[in-house]
Amino acid sequence: MIVQETDVPNQYALWPDDDLTKPPHIVATRPGQEPAEVWREAQKDSHAAAG
């Protein structure tokens, strides 16, 4: 996973599959949170809602 800071505080661009040709996922973190952790939680939530 590639994580890149954006110009916005506590906001990150994520490329989960390391493919920079795809648009990144933008996630916002709370202090002390890891961007990848926020993304994984969002994935769990979206799969749970769909199923």
Side-chain angles (χ1 to χ4, degrees), residues 12-30:
Y12 298 86
L14 302 183
W15 287 268
D17 50 8
D18 294 348
D19 184 353
L20 295 176
T21 63
K22 295 180 181 177
H25 298 272
I26 303 298
V27 298
T29 62
R30 293 188 294 277

Side-chain angles (χ1 to χ4, degrees), residues 2-19:
I2 296 172
V3 178
Q4 181 178 332
E5 291 185 10
T6 65
D7 294 336
V8 180
N10 298 321
Q11 185 172 294
Y12 298 86
L14 302 183
W15 287 268
D17 50 8
D18 294 348
D19 184 353

